[in-house]
Structure formats: C-alpha cells, structure tokens
Amino acid sequence: MQDIWSLAIHGGAGTIRRDELTPEKAAAYRIALEAALRAGGAILAAGGSAEEAVVAAAISLEDCPLFNAGHGSTFTAAGTIEMDACLMTSTAEAGAVTGVTRIRNPILAARAVMRATPHVLLAGAAADDFAAAQGLVLEAPAYFETAHRRAQLLAAQAAQTVVLDHDLPAKMGTIGAVARDRHGALAAATSTGGMTNKRAGRVGDTPILGAGTWADARVAISCTGTGEAFLRCAAAHEVAALMRLAGKSLREATEEVALLRVPEAGGHGGLIAVDAAGEVALPFGTEGMYRGWWRAGEAPRTAIHAD
Ligand code: ASP
C-alpha cells in the first residue's frame, strides 16, 4: 500500500456571480464541499477503495440541498424531477441510472447496477423498481423538491430557456467525485438532476460513459456543464484519449477538453480529474465551479471562482 491518495469533487459549474454569492452563501458551499471531501478522504486515508470514496463523497453532496443532485434536484419542464447518476472504476466496472424519480441516492443505484446486474445503464421507472428491489431507500417526490428549484423553473419557463443551475440567479449544481486510492485504483462518480426546464425524458451527459463520467487505468473524470455539448464531444473519454493516444499530460488533456472541445461543441462547463500518479486537475471555462480537492499529506482545499 502506498502513501499516495487523491480526491477531487465538484458541485457544478456556471455563471456564479460574485455579487450574488454573499459571504454567508459562499461559506455554506465551502462547508458542504469540505464535508464531502472528508467523507471520501477518510476512506482513502484508511486504505479504502477509490470506488467507496467517490460514492461516499457523492452521497454527501446528493443529500445537501445546495447542489443539483438527489435532494435539491432541478425540475423538468413538466414540473417533475428526473435524476441521472453514473459510477465507473479503473477496472472497467461501470453502472448508471437515468430518469430516476424516487431513489434517495441515485449514485447507490448506479453502484447496484454495476454490482448486481450484467448491464451498465438502467432507465426510468424500471430503474426505480430495481433500486427498491435492491433495498435502496426510496422517497416521495416531495423529498427531492425545494422551493428555490421551483422558482428557477418558473424563471426559466418565463425566459423560454433550458439552463444550467449556476447560470440561474440561485446557484446550485451537478455533483461529482474522482479518486485515486492507496492501491493505485481510480474511480469516478457523477450525479445530477440535469438542467432546469429540460424536456421530460431528456438524458444528459452525466449517466453516459465517456461523456460526463469515465475511469480507466490512467485517469478518472467527472464533468459538469451543458450536457449536450459534453455528449457531442465525448468529453470525459476525450480526456482519456488525449492522454493515451496523444501523450498529453493530465493538465493539457483536461484543459483542452474543458476550454476548447466543449465550447466548440456548443456549451460550457468544467471537469475534475485524477490520474494514476495522484495528480488532480479541475479546469473550467465558466465563471466558477464549486470544487474541492484533497491529497495525502496535504490539507483539504475548496474553491468557487478562479482565484
Ligand atoms: N451536465 C449536467 C446535465 O447536462 C448539468 C450540470 O452539470 O449542471 O445534465
């Protein structure tokens, strides 16, 4: 077992306006991010797996109403909540769910798909039923709903747009975690309510392997931003491909995708990544990205804007 371990998390990217982010709100985000870092980091420090660590961090963020995943997810145009989640490890194990409406922690359903089925992606009501059969906690729709999300939906509908959380006056976002454990394994997890005022049935990048989430022996990636753009350029897999086939460093590959490929594909956002050496990268092409990182021997760090 080595002394190297690393964890990075995000809570979504977008137009996080400094004038609207009061010191109190910023502090609340940082506290929530640090709690998620500590949930995952404690597992890594104790020699636990990257998979366990990213799931623990994701649960912490899904349970927090500040972020757009689990409790506090965004509404579809139909006024419903449809959530997506994905988990992948460096040993090519993967599981995902899309369009689930009742699972308290969608990341646990993604893990159950990975562990208990021969499949990778389950959708809709059948995925909810599968989670129930697996003994996962289900909630009534009211559990996921928050007043500020309802207000965001009304604002988006008035403006006739489909929006990222952080581009709305009330700022919240998709969540993700990537980790490298002391045994050298990598894992990535992403979970989201999607985009406010999305069409019911719309599937974003989050649950699609290679778009919003990817892990292999070299790198683990979790994305946030305009899902359609991340899908069009296979963003997460593009990072892995640039490293494997073009010999790019973690930093070069992640910046190329977040700052060039995603905008070229018509969107914006950011991503977090960790490589086999335990290096982390957290580039974003938006005004801000709620994020945190923690490496063995260092203190946990959180940040919101570029500085
Ligand atoms: N990428 C997510 C989606 O399109 C949204 C986000 O990251 O905030 O569903």
Side-chain angles (χ1 to χ4, degrees):
M1 205 157 62
Q2 305 158 327
D3 282 337
I4 306 168
W5 58 263
S6 307
L7 174 69
I9 60 171
H10 71 73
T15 313
I16 304 168
R17 282 180 44 191
R18 287 170 199 264
D19 55 335
E20 284 175 7
L21 193 69
T22 61
E24 293 74 26
K25 276 193 205 164
Y29 278 107
R30 281 170 176 268
I31 288 167
L33 288 167
E34 185 161 335
L37 275 181
R38 292 199 179 276
I43 291 169
L44 295 169
S49 72
E51 177 193 322
E52 285 175 83
V54 296
V55 168
I59 289 172
S60 174
L61 294 164
E62 283 180 340
D63 288 345
C64 175
L66 290 174
F67 303 105
N68 168 24
H71 178 43
S73 287
T74 51
F75 285 95
T76 68
T80 53
I81 286 180
E82 297 180 1
M83 299 169 288
D84 302 329
C86 186
L87 174 67
M88 189 170 186
T89 74
S90 51
T91 48
E93 290 178 295
V97 290
T98 183
V100 297
T101 60
R102 294 186 294 142
I103 305 166
R104 183 185 178 100
N105 291 112
I107 198 63
L108 289 177
R111 184 170 72 180
V113 171
M114 180 175 110
R115 288 189 176 171
T117 80
H119 309 303
V120 165
L121 176 59
L122 291 186
D128 280 321
D129 293 345
F130 163 76
Q134 287 292 310
L136 298 185
V137 178
L138 296 200
E139 300 284 356
Y143 165 79
F144 302 100
E145 299 179 10
T146 50
H148 61 263
R149 295 293 182 206
R150 185 73 74 180
Q152 285 180 330
L153 174 64
L154 295 179
Q157 288 180 329
Q160 296 190 322
T161 51
V162 178
V163 254
L164 282 180
D165 297 311
H166 298 308
D167 292 344
L168 286 162
K171 320 285 197 290
M172 298 91 190
T174 287
I175 67 95
V178 292
R180 188 266 194 209
D181 67 32
R182 296 178 66 182
H183 311 277
L186 308 181
T190 316
S191 181
T192 190
M195 293 174 69
T196 295
N197 203 25
K198 68 183 181 181
R199 184 178 283 269
R202 174 262 193 186
V203 179
D205 59 319
T206 298
I208 305 301
L209 291 179
T213 312
W214 182 259
D216 60 25
R218 275 185 187 76
V219 61
I221 304 121
S222 170
C223 302
T224 174
T226 327
E228 283 70 11
F230 285 77
L231 280 162
R232 284 187 203 107
C233 68
H237 189 267
E238 185 69 6
V239 171
L242 287 169
M243 292 175 70
R244 180 163 58 94
L245 303 172
K248 303 245 174 178
S249 68
L250 178 77
R251 184 172 169 181
E252 289 166 341
T254 53
E255 288 186 355
E256 178 167 335
V257 171
L259 308 182
L260 292 175
R261 302 290 158 243
V262 169
E264 273 172 10
H268 61 249
L271 57 90
I272 56 171
V274 60
D275 70 10
E279 295 296 323
V280 298
L282 306 93
F284 52 96
T286 46
E287 223 168 295
M289 179 169 78
Y290 294 101
R291 61 200 187 280
W293 62 102
W294 192 9
R295 302 174 68 196
E298 296 175 7
R301 305 269 305 276
T302 61
I304 300 173
H305 292 102
D307 47 12

